[in-house]
Amino acid sequence: MPCNQATNRQRHTLYFFSNLNYSYMSLKKLNNKVIHSETRAICGLSVNSEDMQVLIDASKTLLEVLREDLGLTGTKHGCELGECGACTVLCDGKPVMSCLVLALECEGVKIETIEGMASDGQLHPLQQAFAEHGGSQCGYCTPGMLMTAQSLLEHKANPDREEIHEALSGNLCRCTGYQQIIESVEAAATAISEPGAKTTGSGS
Amino acid sequence: MSQPEKFRIIGKKRVRVDALSKVTGQTVFADDISLPRMLHCKLLRSSVPHALIESIDISLARAHPGVHLVLTGADFPVEYGILPVSQDERPLCRDKVRFVGDPVAAVIARDEQTASEALALIDVTYQPLPTISDVDQALAPGETQLQEYAEEGNIHRRLSYSFGDVDEALEQADHVFEDTFLYESNTHMAMEQHASVAAADPDGRVTLWSSTQCPHYVHRALAKALEMPAAHIRVIACPNGGGFGGKTDPFNHEIVVTRASLLLGRPVKICLTREEVFYCHRGRHQVTMKLRTGVTRDGKLTGMHLQTLLDGGAYGSYGIASTFYTAALQPVTYQLPRYSFDACRVFTNKPPCGPKRGHGTPQPRFGQEIQLDKIAEKLEMDPAELRLGIIAPPDSLTCNYLKIGTTGLGECIERVVEKSDWKDKHRKLPDGQGVGLACGAYMSGAGTAIYWNKMPHSGVQIKLDRSGAVTVYCGATEVGQGSDDVLVGLVAEVLGVDPIDIKCFTGDTDLTPVDLGSYSSRVTLMMGNAAIQAAGRARELIAKAVAVKLEIPEDHIGFDDRLVFDVGDPSRKLSFQEAVVCAEEKYGTLVVAGSYAPPKSAGRFPGAGVGPSPTYSYTAAVAEVEVDTITGIVEVSRIYIAHDIGRSLNPVLVEGQVIGGVYMGIGEALMEEHSMRRLPPRLSEALVLSNPSMLDYKTLTMHDMPEVVVEIVEDPDPEGPFGAKEVGQGPLLPIMPAIANAVYDAVGVRIDEVPITPSKVLRALSKKAAGRDARTGPRDFPEIKWPQAIFVLPPDEGGDGKASNKPERKRAAKMHTMDKVTSS
């Protein structure tokens, strides 16, 4: 059987187009050649300070490998196009859309996901603040939002509202209207900079 | 049970019960589920908007390595649909496709990539039919018919009702205002895409996990479409990553994966791409509307005639209900002695429309609130004063027999007027800046179920364990609104324990009693009342047992702080756990249930089922905007909003729902549009979506969101659990018209259309500069042949709620109701 050993990029394009086959492609079919994705690779990733080696399809994105091969389903997909920020993880401390990078590109990179945010059974101040101030409703944008916020607070203590808007503008949320997310980030910033400060007015 | 004077849990800010799971990424959404030997499904969707399916050749796909199964419409002989009156959908199209995106085949393979490759190998031969692309084409007579069961041609249904003699009411008015509006279609765009996993048991039973708001309705649809007993199907609603009405239909993909799993004996998963979610739609109908309203010179409404035309897309979905909703709730906000409406839904070759937050009510609300602004201007009245003078009174029946309970609308208006400095700003701000006011009302749950039955709308079961653990079961679905938190909070309040002592299981047709689902803002009220009843029964059993042990009367037993004690001498006490043991010793295994069904509506005419609700919430909002006259861009600087919620159960969640509703309202007002375009001729000219991606569709980012000042009005309503009414949908309603009214205040142009895009503003501004009518909006309402109206005499005029013949017109004498209207 004829077999095209397509390059990674071609396959990625193929995947993209087959998703949109009824809107941007004509009724012309993609050619009937069988295209196999047999290019596999061993990928070494450092995720949440744990070193992992996993055998993956070479064309997989970091998002797919996290969710499907490493069982780290905390990172979400919302669009597969890098438009919504739900898939945000930290790569060497910077927010990155994991749906837009290949897993193999991340070898040697320090990756942080939502699963690593709490440490030693203690919530990160951002997680605590989101819980207390209503920063999370359906919870779907939350991991990406928290990752981006974590990066912000690691680079800028006590950001003002403009800086929070700027940093988090790439994370869409459909539930909260953002206001309680902003309040959560501000409360967490306060908690981090003044460890004794009372950041909550709520019970529980 | 009677309401306590002081709450320990209700009304206090609390970390919601699922918060920690969500902030640690541990909440399991449907696509997070992975089962051993799981296969993956992809759907092939039509690339043509309207065609007969001549043939499908799946042989190459079936032979593709890694493919386990290929299904087509031939494998699904039974039609289904959410409404009994429009069972017009097939899991996979068999004879005909009706919109680009209509599913025609399914591939189940070892992984998504393989399934996608195989989709490309399926050969479908279509015989194209003419495309019906908008309401004008749908209304035009012709040979092309999308759905054979349509009332006439591509007219799905026409409704015509008259509550009182409206022609007379308009004749007797001092002014009649006639306005036409257009509200474009928009969609839910929940962050989580639809996903489902089905797993068959070797004994032929099957479980479906799905991102659905209505597991009970999915349960029924599966049984019908798969021709299996519902008792052998289990549907588990995973926590939804947002729903907003987009996950309330039973879906093609849910039925396909369930059948596939049964055929293969292996779990099958599907997750829709974002583009597919846009095509699934079931979002807000495009509505053209015309309001003719009679007003007295001192600003009282005498009557209204409303006409609406809905573009339904290709299938029925909730469309008939949506059609009723574009009209039925108009009289709930302001006093309206007489009211008539004609509503029409048509089929077009576009993604089907259904319910989106507000479900049919935002569109006519937009129209009425702008019209009231025009009325206020003409009568030289302040828009807030005008509304305050016509608020529908509490504990009254509207002219179309809807029962209004509490109404805090007056207080809501007063609060936003005060907070926003309305009186110093309206018509007083510099050019380019403006404020606008609008109000809204919404149901706290639809009074009628989707399928007619005499059973409860919500059931809650409580199990008490000897460890003191309390387990609560309810079919309601957590979609982000906080229903799990409401459930646990109410039970904790009644039993005097803490939320951490309670586990809840929701949305599982095997484990939980039926709750109809998370739609029409019904869950807090209906689940809440059922929960209070169940918890009350558990409390009673415990109280009786402890009373015997402490040798005191039952009504001397108190529940607080995880203790059960003698109210007269609190040192005589048991821990909650000891009290449960005491009760189990006396009564045996402790399991109780509570349920709720809404009161019967007063209307007795056909169609009276849509509109009634146990009680309505009310909202008022002031929008402050800045309009750039060169670019036409409207920026919202601030929103002041007051919502009459009856009782705020958890203020953090309440505020979140209000602000979330405002956010979605601003998006709808300014930028959200589910619009279509034609592909170029060299690419089939198919009717496709213009913007099926999240950034193209356009919603607000954090940058665009203004500050929202939230006021909560609490006047407990006896129908609600501890007095609570809804908050999930009401706050959205006034935002769109408030912004439109603010634009008029800012630059003197009327945009009688949603979304209020820069080009529409510029068009109106240039008309204004040229001395023409400074308005962008539809010119007129299309000609439609309406059926004879069902006539119902309003209760104020001696009606009994039944349809009757129209009484003879008495042209000379004034009706006694007119005196009621003109008197304040």
Side-chain angles (χ1 to χ4, degrees):
Chain A
M1 183 172 291
C3 170
N4 262 2
Q5 194 67 243
T7 64
N8 287 346
R9 183 192 296 190
Q10 268 182 13
R11 262 217 50 248
H12 216 63
T13 310
L14 173 71
Y15 186 71
F16 182 85
F17 275 141
S18 65
N19 280 348
L20 301 173
N21 63 357
Y22 50 83
S23 63
Y24 292 105
M25 296 295 287
S26 69
L27 296 176
K28 232 188 309 152
K29 260 203 310 297
L30 302 156
N31 67 58
N32 285 347
K33 289 207 185 119
V34 173
I35 300 161
H36 278 298
S37 49
E38 289 296 332
T39 318
R40 293 196 184 271
I42 296 181
C43 184
L45 295 173
S46 165
V47 184
N48 301 324
S49 305
E50 281 179 49
D51 287 329
M52 311 184 185
Q53 290 234 315
V54 61
L55 177 67
I56 59 163
D57 191 308
S59 66
K60 273 189 152 178
T61 62
L62 177 61
L63 176 66
E64 288 166 326
V65 170
L66 287 171
R67 287 181 58 80
E68 295 163 16
D69 298 287
L70 296 177
L72 296 169
T73 55
T75 307
K76 306 300 178 201
H77 56 73
C79 68
E80 308 98 26
L81 293 179
E83 293 186 325
C84 71
C87 68
T88 306
V89 297
L90 298 185
C91 289
D92 292 332
K94 290 211 198 77
V96 162
M97 309 251 212
S98 60
C99 72
L100 292 182
V101 292
L102 299 180
L104 283 175
E105 286 183 77
C106 299
E107 288 195 306
V109 168
K110 177 180 164 219
I111 301 167
E112 292 168 274
T113 71
I114 184 71
E115 286 88 349
M117 207 176 177
S119 60
D120 300 325
Q122 292 280 77
L123 292 180
H124 187 284
L126 273 168
Q127 291 172 305
Q128 185 66 38
F130 268 60
E132 284 167 7
H133 297 270
S136 183
Q137 286 185 26
C138 80
Y140 204 75
C141 77
T142 303
M145 198 68 81
L146 281 170
M147 287 285 101
T148 309
Q150 179 184 321
S151 173
L152 168 68
L153 294 186
E154 278 167 4
H155 289 91
K156 180 95 187 2
N158 287 310
D160 61 33
R161 288 228 156 165
E162 263 310 301
E163 287 165 321
I164 296 175
H165 288 183
E166 183 66 37
L168 294 181
S169 56
N171 291 85
L172 298 183
C173 172
R174 215 46 189 144
C175 294
T176 64
Y178 302 112
Q179 194 148 299
Q180 289 171 314
I181 292 177
I182 296 166
E183 286 165 9
S184 302
V185 174
E186 287 174 338
T190 305
I192 289 170
S193 59
E194 301 158 33
K198 203 168 154 59
T199 55
T200 91
S202 56
S204 171
Chain B
M1 55 168 276
S2 62
Q3 315 228 350
E5 281 159 16
K6 215 175 46 141
F7 293 109
R8 54 186 283 276
I9 295 194
I10 297 303
K12 302 204 165 42
K13 286 189 183 185
R14 244 177 343 98
V15 171
R16 55 189 284 166
V17 297
D18 53 356
L20 297 187
S21 172
K22 284 175 175 171
V23 301
T24 54
Q26 288 178 31
T27 301
V28 178
F29 296 91
D31 192 54
D32 298 332
I33 295 173
S34 212
L35 297 171
R37 305 185 72 229
M38 189 170 74
L39 298 170
H40 296 264
C41 177
K42 280 257 178 227
L43 298 182
L44 179 70
R45 296 181 183 268
S46 168
S47 52
V48 292
H50 198 195
L52 298 174
I53 300 174
E54 257 180 31
S55 65
I56 304 187
D57 182 358
I58 61 171
S59 54
L60 282 179
R62 188 62 193 87
H64 188 61
V67 170
H68 289 251
L69 181 64
V70 181
L71 297 170
T72 67
D75 298 301
F76 295 96
V78 181
E79 286 177 317
Y80 68 96
I82 182 65
L83 294 186
V85 297
S86 45
Q87 302 274 296
D88 60 358
E89 296 191 59
R90 292 180 184 278
L92 297 172
C93 298
R94 191 185 61 185
D95 312 307
K96 205 173 163 187
V97 293
R98 294 177 174 85
F99 69 105
V100 168
D102 217 351
V104 297
V107 171
I108 293 93
R110 66 178 169 214
D111 53 48
E112 277 191 295
Q113 184 55 40
T114 307
S116 291
E117 290 165 2
L119 286 186
L121 300 175
I122 297 176
D123 198 349
V124 186
T125 309
Y126 293 107
Q127 191 193 329
L129 298 169
T131 304
I132 305 293
S133 63
D134 57 34
V135 292
D136 292 320
Q137 289 185 6
L139 288 171
E143 304 252 314
T144 309
Q145 196 182 36
L146 266 92
Q147 299 282 8
E148 281 169 19
Y149 73 97
E151 196 172 87
E152 185 184 331
N154 290 306
I155 295 177
H156 180 185
R157 184 81 95 82
R158 279 165 297 199
L159 306 169
S160 209
Y161 285 82
S162 194
F163 300 93
D165 188 337
V166 173
D167 288 332
E168 190 178 63
L170 295 181
E171 272 170 28
Q172 293 178 337
D174 294 315
H175 303 277
V176 175
F177 287 80
E178 194 173 291
D179 294 287
T180 316
F181 303 92
L182 173 65
Y183 202 112
E184 293 285 10
S185 172
N186 56 58
T187 196
H188 325 81
M189 211 191 85
M191 290 307 294
E192 182 212 15
Q193 299 126 312
H194 300 57
S196 306
V197 181
D201 294 332
D203 58 14
R205 294 188 284 191
V206 67
T207 301
L208 175 75
W209 289 265
S210 191
S211 179
T212 178
Q213 297 173 237
C214 299
H216 177 61
Y217 293 146
V218 172
H219 193 201
R220 288 171 53 85
L222 281 173
K224 180 174 195 232
L226 298 182
E227 298 177 282
M228 286 177 62
H232 298 174
I233 301 171
R234 178 181 188 183
V235 178
I236 300 174
C238 299
N240 288 202
F244 313 111
K247 296 172 178 168
T248 53
D249 281 77
F251 278 105
N252 317 71
H253 60 266
E254 289 171 322
I255 302 171
V256 166
V257 295
T258 310
R259 163 62 59 77
S261 182
L262 285 163
L263 289 172
L264 293 168
R266 290 171 71 158
V268 177
K269 174 194 269 197
I270 188 165
C271 184
L272 300 192
T273 66
R274 178 54 61 180
E275 191 180 26
E276 285 182 290
V277 173
F278 276 105
Y279 275 94
C280 268
H281 195 34
R282 315 291 159 141
R284 204 178 292 303
H285 288 72
Q286 180 209 60
V287 180
T288 314
M289 36 191 151
K290 178 164 158 180
L291 283 78
R292 275 174 69 229
T293 308
V295 188
T296 64
R297 63 179 60 88
D298 54 347
K300 308 285 185 247
L301 306 179
T302 63
M304 178 191 289
H305 177 222
L306 169 66
Q307 293 182 291
T308 64
L309 171 61
L310 287 74
D311 184 339
Y315 290 92
S317 181
Y318 282 80
I320 298 292
S322 318
T323 310
F324 271 100
Y325 282 130
T326 60
L329 292 192
Q330 281 302 68
V332 160
T333 323
Y334 309 111
Q335 273 182 306
L336 193 56
R338 291 183 182 174
Y339 177 53
S340 62
F341 66 86
D342 306 310
C344 172
R345 185 181 195 265
V346 298
F347 288 118
T348 54
N349 293 116
K350 298 194 271 197
C353 293
K356 179 191 171 187
R357 204 173 200 171
H359 198 182
T361 62
Q363 300 95 320
R365 178 57 37 203
F366 179 76
Q368 182 174 33
E369 294 298 318
I370 294 179
Q371 190 178 64
L372 283 173
D373 219 47
K374 297 182 184 182
I375 291 171
E377 192 175 35
K378 173 86 183 226
L379 299 181
E380 290 174 0
M381 284 179 79
D382 176 82
E385 291 305 317
L386 170 71
R387 288 168 172 81
L388 285 169
I390 53 172
I391 288 175
D395 299 311
S396 64
L397 268 186
T398 64
C399 63
N400 60 335
Y401 290 84
L402 303 179
K403 167 110 184 10
I404 296 174
T406 54
T407 166
L409 182 55
E411 167 115 28
C412 287
I413 295 173
E414 276 160 9
R415 292 231 204 147
V416 293
V417 160
E418 192 212 311
K419 285 277 167 181
S420 66
D421 291 326
W422 170 263
K423 295 201 159 63
D424 293 327
K425 290 179 181 168
H426 187 241
R427 300 287 188 264
K428 296 181 175 135
L429 289 172
D431 277 348
Q433 291 174 36
V435 289
L437 172 78
C439 300
Y442 200 70
M443 306 181 287
S444 301
T448 315
I450 284 296
Y451 65 98
W452 195 85
N453 68 81
K454 296 182 187 174
M455 293 178 282
H457 288 216
S458 187
V460 170
Q461 180 178 307
I462 296 179
K463 175 177 90 76
L464 301 172
D465 185 75
R466 296 174 199 179
S467 65
V470 179
T471 314
V472 185
Y473 306 83
C474 178
T477 313
E478 174 61 66
V479 300
Q481 86 284 50
S483 56
D484 280 3
D485 191 72
V486 167
L487 180 61
V488 169
L490 289 171
V491 173
E493 181 71 56
V494 173
L495 295 180
V497 298
D498 289 343
I500 195 76
D501 302 318
I502 302 176
K503 272 219 188 78
C504 73
F505 291 88
T506 53
D508 184 329
T509 62
D510 264 11
L511 290 185
T512 62
V514 170
D515 174 280
L516 296 181
S518 294
Y519 69 102
S520 78
S521 275
R522 49 175 301 288
V523 174
T524 290
L525 190 139
M526 300 202 193
M527 173 193 77
N529 282 328
I532 290 177
Q533 185 180 69
R537 287 172 175 166
R539 181 181 163 128
E540 200 183 308
L541 290 173
I542 298 171
K544 281 190 157 92
V546 173
V548 165
K549 190 171 178 109
L550 295 184
E551 293 169 330
I552 51 177
E554 191 192 322
D555 58 7
H556 284 215
I557 299 288
F559 288 72
D560 201 351
D561 268 343
R562 297 156 142 176
L563 297 168
V564 183
F565 53 91
D566 176 351
V567 168
D569 176 9
S571 69
R572 301 186 69 225
K573 61 183 192 277
L574 281 75
S575 70
F576 184 81
Q577 184 262 331
E578 289 164 339
V580 170
V581 168
C582 185
E584 187 170 345
E585 284 171 348
K586 184 170 165 65
Y587 292 108
T589 302
L590 295 171
V591 180
V592 297
S595 63
Y596 176 84
K600 280 197 169 25
S601 86
R604 296 267 170 281
F605 50 91
V610 183
S613 179
T615 182
Y616 301 90
S617 74
Y618 292 90
T619 322
V622 167
E624 232 175 75
V625 307
E626 275 179 42
V627 181
D628 185 318
T629 52
I630 296 178
T631 60
I633 292 178
V634 176
E635 254 182 55
V636 180
S637 6
R638 199 172 279 112
I639 296 278
Y640 302 86
I641 182 163
H643 182 74
D644 161 32
I645 196 181
R647 169 111 50 200
S648 187
L649 298 179
N650 183 338
V652 179
L653 270 56
V654 168
E655 194 173 307
Q657 286 301 301
V658 174
I659 300 173
V662 169
Y663 147 87
M664 204 168 262
I666 299 175
E668 293 200 25
L670 297 180
M671 57 187 81
E672 293 190 33
E673 193 178 339
H674 196 254
S675 65
M676 311 294 295
R677 68 181 177 105
R678 291 276 197 173
L679 291 178
R682 62 182 169 81
L683 281 185
S684 85
E685 278 190 296
L687 186 64
V688 300
L689 278 171
S690 307
N691 47 8
S693 80
M694 287 163 107
L695 288 185
D696 291 328
Y697 173 72
K698 281 190 278 297
T699 60
L700 278 77
T701 66
M702 204 177 270
H703 259 315
D704 312 297
M705 184 66 192
E707 190 201 337
V708 182
V709 176
V710 178
E711 289 283 312
I712 301 297
V713 171
E714 290 182 85
D715 173 20
D717 189 299
E719 294 293 328
F722 296 132
K725 301 197 281 191
E726 75 85 44
V727 70
Q729 297 187 66
L732 171 77
L733 301 182
I735 301 302
M736 295 74 75
I739 291 175
N741 289 339
V743 168
Y744 180 73
D745 189 44
V747 290
V749 299
R750 286 280 179 207
I751 312 297
D752 290 339
E753 274 186 33
V754 161
I756 300 167
T757 57
S759 62
K760 290 178 190 171
V761 172
L762 289 178
R763 211 167 37 233
L765 283 171
S766 70
K767 280 160 90 176
K768 181 178 173 199
R772 290 169 16 234
D773 182 24
R775 169 189 178 262
T776 299
R779 214 167 286 138
D780 48 37
F781 191 86
E783 269 300 310
I784 296 175
K785 191 162 162 296
W786 300 105
Q788 175 165 42
I790 293 173
F791 185 87
V792 184
L793 202 60
D796 283 352
E797 296 181 38
D800 60 0
K802 296 195 182 127
S804 63
N805 287 328
K806 208 164 173 171
E808 261 184 59
R809 306 263 320 264
K810 296 186 178 103
R811 284 178 186 278
K814 260 188 151 47
M815 300 283 284
H816 74 92
T817 48
M818 296 308 294
D819 296 332
K820 274 192 194 163
V821 166
T822 53
S823 71
S824 54

